Amino acid sequence: MKMLAAWMAPMLVVATPMATAASRSPILLSEFVDAQAPYPQAHASTLVQLLDGTLAAAWFAGSGESRPDVRIWFARRGPGGWSAPVPVADGVSPQGDTRYPTWNPVLFQPPGGPLHLYYKVGPNPREWWGMVIRSGDGGRTWTAPEPLPDGALGPIKNKPVIAADGSWLSPSSREEGTAEANIWSLRIERSTDQGGHWTVGPRIASPMHIEAIQPSILFHKDGKLELVARTRQGALAQSWSRDNGVTWSPIAAIDLPNPNAGTDAVTLADGRQLIVYNHSAHAPNTPGDGPRWPLNIGLSDDGVHWRSVLTLEAKPMPDGYAYPAVIQTRDGLVHVTYTWNRQHIRHLVIDPRLLR
């Protein structure tokens, strides 16, 4: 991890060099991606390591979620910190006569290929559609927006993964019906030609009537894949695949609370499963919803039994700490971005060796 100091110059939280491993904070850096934000509200970040090792992030921002001026913003992190955020996609119709809000960008960097930025456009999550732009130069320039094939929405919040058979798996979900009767379900979209075509899988069965959206995909040593997803039922959900994501087991709950808030998860290089989530449940006066604080890291060795190991944010805030994204970079460090009170995107760097 000798490269750490070179690119983390504006460090705000630093472990004491002489401290023992037991007393050192796992949090090596805390900073805003958009400290000088040119908009009042920001939300739903995504994070990726580019082919040259640089970090990049994207999110949506504007005057407020679901408003037509909301665009997708992008920034890269160099040796001097994060670059000034720039808008890279909006919801202007091809005819230029209508402007819709944009939603939930997801960055994906396949090995040796262009950087992909998936996002949604539309009046609300029940009527939105999937879009993609690509960059061959690390996000400096982008292709023209392209709609995804009919029926495909792309990754709804969290990053795609590449299965053992080489297929791309897009963790997707649906919100269908009306605002008053809004039905949630999980689906996996699969591509065997590196994103050229997508097959939308069937709704994952939920015999316990668990409504889930926004899954993350984890890898296990025995070859199984696991989905972990947000729900309305007060606990996070799981589903499993033994065939590289073609079929999935019925949805069941796991032993972590969920206040109806987005999460993200990643399989670490050492085989442990790591999730970033709000360790809170529904509030009595808001059935189905709860506070989006604290923000925690959970670990699991088997994807079934989880333990909370680190609190990232605990101070109550009106809009809390929400919609995390998490990756492990090639130097072994874990990077997390998340919405900070709907005003900024915060970035943390964590040493997973200090998480127990």
Side-chain angles (χ1 to χ4, degrees), residues 144-230:
E146 299 175 28
L148 295 181
D150 287 348
L153 291 180
I156 291 298
K157 176 193 171 296
N158 298 323
K159 53 196 172 294
V161 301
I162 301 176
D165 65 356
S167 59
W168 291 9
L169 302 180
S170 176
S172 198
S173 57
R174 300 293 185 272
E175 300 182 42
E176 299 169 296
T178 65
E180 296 75 20
N182 185 7
I183 306 302
W184 290 4
S185 63
L186 297 179
R187 297 174 185 265
I188 295 299
E189 299 176 6
R190 194 166 183 269
S191 175
T192 58
D193 60 359
Q194 300 184 333
H197 301 84
W198 291 93
T199 299
V200 180
R203 178 183 298 182
I204 297 176
S206 185
M208 300 304 296
H209 305 291
I210 296 172
E211 292 190 67
I213 55 172
Q214 300 172 353
S216 301
I217 301 178
L218 301 173
F219 293 82
H220 288 268
K221 294 177 181 178
D222 60 3
K224 289 189 294 187
L225 301 177
E226 179 185 10
L227 293 183
V228 179
R230 165 187 179 177

Side-chain angles (χ1 to χ4, degrees), residues 17-201:
M18 298 303 292
T20 66
S23 64
R24 287 165 53 197
S25 171
I27 302 174
L28 307 180
L29 168 69
S30 176
E31 63 184 357
F32 286 126
V33 174
D34 56 347
Q36 305 299 321
Y39 40 71
Q41 286 198 15
H43 192 38
S45 62
T46 175
L47 187 62
V48 74
Q49 185 174 31
L50 303 175
L51 296 177
D52 66 359
T54 303
L55 284 180
W59 59 96
F60 73 71
S63 63
E65 181 176 338
S66 79
R67 296 180 180 174
D69 70 312
V70 170
R71 297 180 287 179
I72 305 299
W73 295 71
F74 178 85
R76 296 161 47 96
R77 196 186 193 286
W82 288 96
S83 63
V86 295
V88 295
D90 59 31
V92 176
S93 66
Q95 298 76 24
D97 56 354
T98 306
R99 182 164 179 168
Y100 296 98
T102 59
W103 311 75
N104 294 16
V106 178
L107 289 166
F108 176 53
Q109 177 63 79
L115 175 65
H116 290 58
L117 175 55
Y118 296 96
Y119 61 101
K120 274 63 67 185
V121 176
N124 58 65
R126 298 176 306 282
E127 300 176 89
W128 63 21
W129 54 92
M131 301 289 291
V132 62
I133 55 177
R134 300 176 182 86
S135 175
D137 56 10
R140 295 177 178 87
T141 61
W142 296 89
T143 61
E146 299 175 28
L148 295 181
D150 287 348
L153 291 180
I156 291 298
K157 176 193 171 296
N158 298 323
K159 53 196 172 294
V161 301
I162 301 176
D165 65 356
S167 59
W168 291 9
L169 302 180
S170 176
S172 198
S173 57
R174 300 293 185 272
E175 300 182 42
E176 299 169 296
T178 65
E180 296 75 20
N182 185 7
I183 306 302
W184 290 4
S185 63
L186 297 179
R187 297 174 185 265
I188 295 299
E189 299 176 6
R190 194 166 183 269
S191 175
T192 58
D193 60 359
Q194 300 184 333
H197 301 84
W198 291 93
T199 299
V200 180

Side-chain angles (χ1 to χ4, degrees), residues 280-353:
S280 60
H282 296 169
N285 60 333
T286 57
D289 288 287
R292 292 181 173 183
W293 69 80
L295 184 69
N296 286 58
I297 284 181
L299 284 179
S300 176
D301 298 315
D302 60 6
V304 177
H305 304 93
W306 293 82
R307 57 195 183 275
S308 180
V309 298
L310 181 65
T311 299
L312 303 177
E313 300 273 12
K315 180 182 177 181
M317 296 279 272
D319 287 304
Y321 316 95
Y323 271 54
V326 59
I327 62 171
Q328 186 176 31
T329 46
R330 293 188 285 275
D331 60 7
L333 296 176
V334 168
H335 295 257
V336 179
T337 56
Y338 55 91
T339 302
W340 189 89
N341 200 38
R342 290 272 177 162
Q343 297 173 347
H344 295 283
I345 303 301
R346 176 160 275 181
H347 170 224
L348 302 183
V349 182
I350 296 161
D351 186 345
R353 298 174 302 176

